[in-house]
Amino acid sequence: VRIFRSRIYTAVALLVLLLLIGVIGFKYVSQYSWIDALYMTVITITTVGFGEVYPLDPASKIFTMLLILTSIIIVGYALTVITEYILSRNNLEELKQK
Amino acid sequence: VRIFRSRIYTAVALLVLLLLIGVIGFKYVSQYSWIDALYMTVITITTVGFGEVYPLDPASKIFTMLLILTSIIIVGYALTVITEYILSRNNLEELKQK
Amino acid sequence: VRIFRSRIYTAVALLVLLLLIGVIGFKYVSQYSWIDALYMTVITITTVGFGEVYPLDPASKIFTMLLILTSIIIVGYALTVITEYILSRNNLEELKQK
Amino acid sequence: VRIFRSRIYTAVALLVLLLLIGVIGFKYVSQYSWIDALYMTVITITTVGFGEVYPLDPASKIFTMLLILTSIIIVGYALTVITEYILSRNNLEELKQK
Ligand SMILES: [K+]
Ligand SMILES: [K+]
């Protein structure tokens, strides 16, 4: 249980870091306002993807692709942690039933 | 089984609540018509994200981000309930096989 | 195993039906060309959601929302079938190891 | 364990292949620049779907649909491999507990 708690903290910390990288990137690479940079980061990471807030130059497109790829790895890690947590809880209940 | 039934009801109730929050938010924060507010809510929650029906002002962007984050938590809860339900049914079948 | 095979066939049949409903709907409700209706259906069901091929009138928006909701149910059913199939194969291997 | 390692390599190879097909397709079917073709491929495969970088002609729409469908199969394969890997690790731990 302790192992899962620390892994869940790691996953949450990585997601916050991802949000920070996104906001700073769109602010300084794409010259977005803070609110637009946060909005663009949220719709990118969650794959809602309404559309670029303002058209992106090539450097911004490369940054966006790197953000998407990093996002997949971190979200994938978070999903694995959650799945393993559900499975381990499931095993415990199974053992109790026996 | 009873526990799952009540959890599934909770998940469905939360999803209906999410839809209501979205519609009311886009209606009054973003001045959308009822049909556009519902359409915007559905394409946001499901991450289809065709694009904002009308451009969003900063307040609407903040509301949209909050809706997306709430949506992730509720959809995540619903998926966990469904996964646990499938796993528990799977365990029952396993026990029967023995 | 036979049960899973018939369930997988059901899931595939439902997905083909969903595609047909989408194409016919965008063709006749939204007056899209066949190719645009198919393209719109594919980007809607898969939640890629590049954007509406042409702006949608209220009736088309309602149709699109119904298509998205039907899509979620059918894709959810397909995912459940696949998950149960993986789990049952997993159980069989577990039994063999004992 | 070895079986999973080779399956994970297959999944990674298929994803790289998918990326290559997407880039070459958007470059030559849709006349995109290399960077736009890569960007379009990444936002298509990940279903972020901000919007077509430039409007697509019918041939490009057919290519995009084929790319999305291929993507679903390959991502589905990758997810199945990962799920089975998590489950098998879970079984090993269960056996150890007994
Ligand atoms: K999308
Ligand atoms: K979009």
Side-chain angles (χ1 to χ4, degrees):
Chain A
V1 179
R2 256 187 228 163
I3 305 167
F4 284 112
R5 199 157 291 176
S6 81
R7 275 188 202 160
I8 288 169
Y9 288 151
T10 310
V12 171
L14 287 171
L15 285 169
V16 172
L17 188 72
L18 187 69
L19 214 65
L20 278 175
I21 293 170
V23 172
I24 292 167
F26 287 119
K27 174 73 186 162
Y28 293 104
V29 181
S30 319
Q31 314 291 332
Y32 279 22
S33 70
W34 285 112
I35 183 86
D36 283 343
L38 180 61
Y39 182 70
M40 183 69 183
T41 304
V42 170
I43 67 172
T44 302
I45 293 173
T46 58
T47 79
V48 173
F50 287 125
E52 298 90 350
V53 182
Y54 297 103
L56 300 175
D57 59 21
S60 300
K61 280 178 185 165
I62 290 167
F63 171 73
T64 305
M65 287 189 277
L66 291 176
L67 187 69
I68 293 172
L69 298 179
T70 316
S71 168
I72 290 170
I73 293 164
I74 293 179
V75 170
Y77 176 75
L79 285 178
T80 304
V81 170
I82 293 165
T83 308
E84 285 185 337
Y85 178 65
I86 295 175
L87 283 173
S88 76
R89 233 174 39 178
N90 192 260
N91 282 350
L92 278 177
E93 276 170 38
E94 233 183 302
L95 283 173
K96 277 183 207 153
Q97 279 171 9
K98 294 175 193 175
Chain B
V1 178
R2 255 186 229 164
I3 305 167
F4 284 112
R5 199 158 290 177
S6 82
R7 275 188 202 159
I8 289 169
Y9 288 151
T10 310
V12 171
L14 287 171
L15 285 169
V16 171
L17 187 72
L18 187 69
L19 213 65
L20 277 175
I21 293 170
V23 173
I24 291 167
F26 287 119
K27 173 75 186 162
Y28 293 103
V29 180
S30 320
Q31 314 291 330
Y32 278 22
S33 70
W34 285 112
I35 184 84
D36 283 343
L38 179 61
Y39 182 70
M40 183 69 184
T41 304
V42 169
I43 69 173
T44 302
I45 293 173
T46 59
T47 79
V48 173
F50 287 126
E52 298 89 350
V53 182
Y54 297 103
L56 300 175
D57 58 23
S60 300
K61 280 178 184 163
I62 290 167
F63 171 72
T64 304
M65 288 188 277
L66 291 176
L67 187 70
I68 292 173
L69 298 179
T70 315
S71 167
I72 289 171
I73 293 166
I74 293 179
V75 170
Y77 176 75
L79 285 177
T80 305
V81 170
I82 293 165
T83 308
E84 286 184 337
Y85 177 66
I86 295 175
L87 283 172
S88 76
R89 233 172 41 175
N90 190 261
N91 282 349
L92 279 178
E93 277 170 38
E94 233 183 304
L95 283 173
K96 276 183 206 155
Q97 280 172 8
K98 295 176 195 174
Chain C
V1 178
R2 255 188 230 163
I3 305 166
F4 284 113
R5 200 157 291 177
S6 81
R7 275 187 201 158
I8 289 169
Y9 288 151
T10 310
V12 171
L14 286 171
L15 286 169
V16 172
L17 187 71
L18 187 69
L19 214 64
L20 277 175
I21 293 170
V23 173
I24 291 166
F26 287 119
K27 174 75 185 162
Y28 293 104
V29 181
S30 319
Q31 314 290 330
Y32 279 21
S33 70
W34 286 111
I35 183 84
D36 283 343
L38 180 61
Y39 182 70
M40 183 69 183
T41 304
V42 170
I43 68 173
T44 302
I45 292 172
T46 58
T47 79
V48 173
F50 286 126
E52 297 89 351
V53 181
Y54 297 103
L56 300 175
D57 59 22
S60 299
K61 281 179 184 162
I62 290 167
F63 171 71
T64 304
M65 287 188 278
L66 291 176
L67 186 69
I68 293 173
L69 298 179
T70 315
S71 168
I72 289 171
I73 293 165
I74 293 178
V75 170
Y77 176 74
L79 285 177
T80 304
V81 169
I82 293 165
T83 308
E84 285 185 337
Y85 178 66
I86 295 176
L87 283 172
S88 76
R89 233 173 40 175
N90 191 261
N91 283 349
L92 279 178
E93 276 170 40
E94 233 183 304
L95 283 173
K96 276 182 206 158
Q97 280 171 8
K98 294 176 195 174
Chain D
V1 178
R2 255 187 230 164
I3 305 166
F4 284 113
R5 200 157 290 175
S6 81
R7 274 187 201 159
I8 289 169
Y9 287 151
T10 310
V12 171
L14 287 171
L15 285 169
V16 171
L17 187 71
L18 187 69
L19 214 65
L20 278 175
I21 293 170
V23 172
I24 291 167
F26 287 119
K27 174 73 186 163
Y28 294 104
V29 181
S30 320
Q31 314 290 332
Y32 278 21
S33 70
W34 286 111
I35 184 84
D36 283 343
L38 180 61
Y39 182 70
M40 183 70 184
T41 304
V42 170
I43 68 173
T44 302
I45 293 173
T46 59
T47 78
V48 172
F50 287 125
E52 298 89 351
V53 181
Y54 297 104
L56 300 175
D57 58 22
S60 299
K61 280 179 185 163
I62 291 166
F63 171 72
T64 305
M65 287 188 278
L66 291 176
L67 187 69
I68 293 173
L69 298 179
T70 315
S71 168
I72 289 170
I73 294 165
I74 292 179
V75 170
Y77 176 75
L79 285 177
T80 304
V81 170
I82 293 166
T83 308
E84 285 184 338
Y85 178 65
I86 295 175
L87 283 172
S88 77
R89 233 173 41 177
N90 191 260
N91 283 350
L92 278 178
E93 277 170 40
E94 232 182 302
L95 283 173
K96 277 182 205 156
Q97 281 172 10
K98 294 175 193 173

